[in-house]
Amino acid sequence: MNTTRRAGIGATAIGAAAAVALLTAPDASALVTGISVTNSDKYCANSTYTVAVNVTATSFLFDVSLSDNDTQIGSTKPSSGVATFSWTPTTTGSHTLKAVQEIISTKSTTVTVVDCTPTGGGGGTGSSAANPLAGLLSSLSAH
């Protein structure tokens, strides 16, 4: 009889532990459904873009975190099914943006960032030294 009582207590303890685990686990329907970056023809280093992370409607209780090549950008609660982040890449090359909600749901996208710094010329000082034909043109129009 004593052995039966211990087995019953053990089964009850296992059942209670399972119930606690079920009640404290994140909602399985809390899912990241998509990730997108501001539509652009190119992504430039040191420019700011908006990253939108779409989640299921039942996910509003759980924070969404965003990282760039495993460097944390931020964490926020979604509003109306979207968690929004500002992202400013500081280096060129491939950047993997990864959104995570409660460890169980992730989505990522990869963006190539380029250097958009203007190179040489351009400035427009009005000097004829920048245009070797300027002197020839002015001498022809003087005649």
Side-chain angles (χ1 to χ4, degrees), residues 82-94:
V82 180
T84 306
F85 298 88
S86 288
W87 171 60
T88 306
T90 57
T91 60
T92 60
S94 182

Side-chain angles (χ1 to χ4, degrees), residues 124-142:
T125 61
S127 166
S128 63
N131 185 355
L133 297 178
L136 177 61
L137 291 176
S138 61
S139 68
L140 289 175
S141 62

Side-chain angles (χ1 to χ4, degrees), residues 13-143:
I14 290 172
V20 168
L22 181 63
L23 292 174
T24 59
D27 184 355
S29 63
L31 300 174
V32 175
T33 60
I35 181 172
S36 61
V37 184
T38 306
N39 192 13
S40 181
D41 58 339
K42 63 181 174 181
Y43 298 97
C44 302
N46 300 310
S47 292
T48 300
Y49 303 94
T50 299
V51 178
V53 178
N54 297 313
V55 298
T56 57
T58 57
S59 297
F60 68 93
L61 293 174
F62 304 103
D63 283 355
V64 174
S65 62
L66 183 69
S67 63
D68 174 3
N69 291 339
D70 296 323
T71 299
Q72 181 80 17
I73 292 174
S75 181
T76 190
K77 287 209 182 309
S79 174
S80 300
V82 180
T84 306
F85 298 88
S86 288
W87 171 60
T88 306
T90 57
T91 60
T92 60
S94 182
H95 289 255
T96 299
L97 300 173
K98 181 178 178 183
V100 179
Q101 188 173 40
E102 293 299 313
I103 303 173
I104 63 168
S105 180
T106 66
K107 291 279 184 194
S108 62
T109 188
T110 301
V111 176
T112 301
V113 176
V114 296
D115 183 2
C116 297
T117 306
T119 57
T125 61
S127 166
S128 63
N131 185 355
L133 297 178
L136 177 61
L137 291 176
S138 61
S139 68
L140 289 175
S141 62
H143 291 259

